[in-house]
Amino acid sequence: MGWVTVTKPLLFQSKLLCLSLLYLLTTVPLSIYVSFSQRGCLFSSQPLLPRPLYSYPSSYGEHKHALPASRSSCTSPVFFSDYPIAFQEIHNLCRNGSLMSENSSHVLRYLHGKGETFAGNFSARRRRSFFEHRDDGKPLPCGFLREFFVRDSDRVAMERCSGVVVVSAIFGDHDKVRQPKGLGSKTLETVCFFLFIDDSTLKALHAHNILAGVDGNVLGVWRIIRLFSGDLPYSNPAMNGVIPKHLLHRLFPNAKFSIWLDAKLQLTVDPLLLLHSLLISKDADMAVSKHPFNIHTMEEAMSTARWRKWTDIESLRLQMETYCEYGLQPWSPNKLPYTTDVPDTALIARRHGLASNRFSCLLFNELAAFNPRDQLAFAYVRDTMSPRIKINMFEVDVFEKVAVEYRHNLKREEDVASVAAAQPTKRAAVAVDIKGSKCEHYLLNMWGEATDDTNGG
């Protein structure tokens, strides 16, 4: 009787071949997942909504002209808590937080009445007199000295938003309406999304037939707030945009937290995670990104003039000399923990309270007095107001993690001309000799050329 010999199949006789097959079977499913996942990353730390929020018709072109980012989308420069933890903590803060009443001595009282302009015509000295907070009942000017027309139904909805509000604005059809990504499964139950638009933007949305709701005021997560162009306080669209950007606490008096998004941004992180990471965990009143290039206010002013972001150069000079006269200094280690004087205010997270609301009012008053370039007044207000506000000025790579930035809509030449006509057109040559300027000491310190004589005045 012969012996039966059993041998391994040829397929399993090669160890190298076996390892190769194992590697292939492991990596192919992961590769397929990464290719088709929304984020292109292996894992997600939050329970996402099961389907996209809204699908635009191809003619609308929601996602065009995204600006490149150097950061990998799968690496995070900021720590995010688990979604249930962030949701519950913010929910408790909103539920337990008392509504701000103007009858309380611990909150702001705003100046009421009718003024010649929306913000009032206050001198630099008068505006500065409000920088120190006192519990003496002195009302603070904070816009709305002329009516800001909002439909009654919209105003009721704004007042009902008592937790977290996310706000954006589009004037002049200058941007696309972009839906946030990465929302958690319960976020839409607790977060309000409001988008302010004007007549020309509404006309463009109607042309694409993308508005929904009984009143045609819903677009994805956004509730559309139409502002009639004839009722807007300013002829300049940028100044009208500053109202919802910096006076959120007045438009949404019962909100406890807010996030402002320039319309060029698409939010890619759940707003609850964003607030928990940038505000609550840092015990901050406000969070805003650092400017990617400029550190000193004067650098930003020069850039504003050079790139015609504001065309009245003489008014820029007056603004900077006013701030220098009242003590504005270039950034130095004395200003730590702040490592810059210039923010990128495309995204602002706020905890609505005394410090944040005062800062917003004081900053808005400066913008109304000079121009809507809020980076120019930022450090002046931040460093001068008392008591101080605690701001988390986070790194640029954090900004790139939480939002995607797109270019503005391309405009026809006649549209560009009409926008430019709404801005001052005075242009003045920038003097080379700074001797005698109120900003002489500032500039010499910024350039590292100051001497004991110049420092001593």
Side-chain angles (χ1 to χ4, degrees), residues 32 35 47 86 157 201 248 262 317 333 358 363 407 436 445 447 454:
I32 294 174
S35 298
T201 305
L248 273 173
D262 276 7
R317 187 202 305 276
R358 285 191 65 245
L363 183 63
R407 292 181 175 88
N445 278 317
W447 293 330
T454 57

Side-chain angles (χ1 to χ4, degrees), residues 77-118:
V78 59
F79 172 78
F80 294 114
S81 298
D82 290 337
Y83 178 77
I85 295 176
F87 173 84
Q88 192 60 50
E89 189 167 347
I90 294 177
H91 177 73
N92 291 339
L93 288 172
C94 293
R95 182 181 59 188
N96 297 333
S98 59
L99 296 180
M100 297 185 69
S101 168
E102 293 194 12
N103 296 322
S104 170
S105 62
H106 301 290
V107 297
L108 295 177
R109 291 178 174 82
Y110 301 115
L111 186 64
H112 295 286
K114 295 183 178 180
E116 296 180 1
T117 62
F118 180 79

Side-chain angles (χ1 to χ4, degrees), residues 56-75:
Y56 287 98
S58 58
S59 62
Y60 186 65
E62 178 197 13
H63 299 301
K64 287 186 177 181
H65 313 297
L67 297 178
S70 57
R71 174 195 53 80
S72 168
S73 61
C74 293
T75 59

Side-chain angles (χ1 to χ4, degrees), residues 196-421:
F196 292 83
I197 65 172
D198 61 357
D199 293 337
S200 60
T201 305
L202 181 66
K203 181 179 179 181
L205 296 178
H206 278 314
H208 291 280
N209 194 29
I210 57 178
L211 292 174
V214 177
D215 297 325
N217 61 351
V218 177
L219 184 50
V221 302
W222 299 101
R223 175 169 179 139
I224 305 298
I225 305 295
R226 178 187 179 183
L227 303 177
F228 296 91
S229 298
D231 295 330
L232 291 171
Y234 298 99
S235 60
N236 188 311
M239 265 311 302
N240 289 317
V242 162
I243 297 172
K245 182 175 184 178
H246 290 292
L247 300 183
L248 273 173
H249 62 289
R250 300 214 61 188
L251 292 170
F252 300 87
N254 298 322
K256 308 302 187 302
F257 296 92
S258 68
I259 296 175
W260 163 263
L261 287 176
D262 276 7
K264 64 183 179 180
L265 299 183
Q266 181 185 31
L267 194 64
T268 57
V269 171
D270 187 281
L272 300 178
L273 295 180
L274 191 68
L275 291 170
H276 194 271
S277 174
L278 300 183
L279 280 184
I280 296 173
S281 66
K282 302 293 184 181
D283 191 28
D285 302 303
M286 173 179 163
V288 64
S289 172
K290 300 176 183 178
H291 193 278
F293 306 113
N294 298 329
I295 295 177
H296 305 289
T297 300
M298 197 66 70
E299 288 178 324
E300 180 64 20
M302 293 175 178
S303 175
T304 299
R306 181 183 304 115
W307 297 107
R308 300 288 189 253
K309 297 176 181 179
W310 187 254
T311 55
D312 189 347
I313 308 302
E314 191 60 37
S315 74
L316 290 175
R317 187 202 305 276
L318 174 62
Q319 182 181 16
M320 290 299 99
E321 291 199 345
T322 299
Y323 293 165
C324 290
E325 180 181 6
Y326 283 106
L328 178 66
Q329 296 295 325
W331 183 87
S332 71
N334 294 332
K335 295 192 178 186
L336 292 174
Y338 299 121
T339 57
T340 179
D341 279 351
V342 185
D344 182 342
T345 59
L347 186 154
I348 307 173
R350 298 181 178 95
R351 182 200 303 261
H352 289 196
L354 181 63
S356 173
N357 294 354
R358 285 191 65 245
F359 178 85
S360 297
C361 292
L362 296 172
L363 183 63
F364 177 81
N365 292 339
E366 296 301 317
L367 306 185
F370 291 108
N371 58 70
R373 304 299 301 176
D374 48 14
Q375 298 96 331
L376 301 181
F378 178 85
Y380 171 67
V381 176
R382 181 198 67 188
D383 298 343
T384 309
M385 67 178 289
S386 176
R388 295 291 183 93
I389 181 174
K390 185 175 182 180
I391 304 177
N392 173 21
M393 299 190 70
F394 52 87
E395 300 293 337
V396 176
D397 55 351
V398 174
F399 175 82
E400 292 181 347
K401 171 66 180 179
V402 302
V404 177
E405 183 174 357
Y406 293 85
R407 292 181 175 88
H408 296 296
N409 289 347
L410 298 177
K411 295 294 181 182
R412 299 187 303 273
E413 290 185 4
E414 58 266 28
D415 294 334
V416 175
S418 64
V419 173

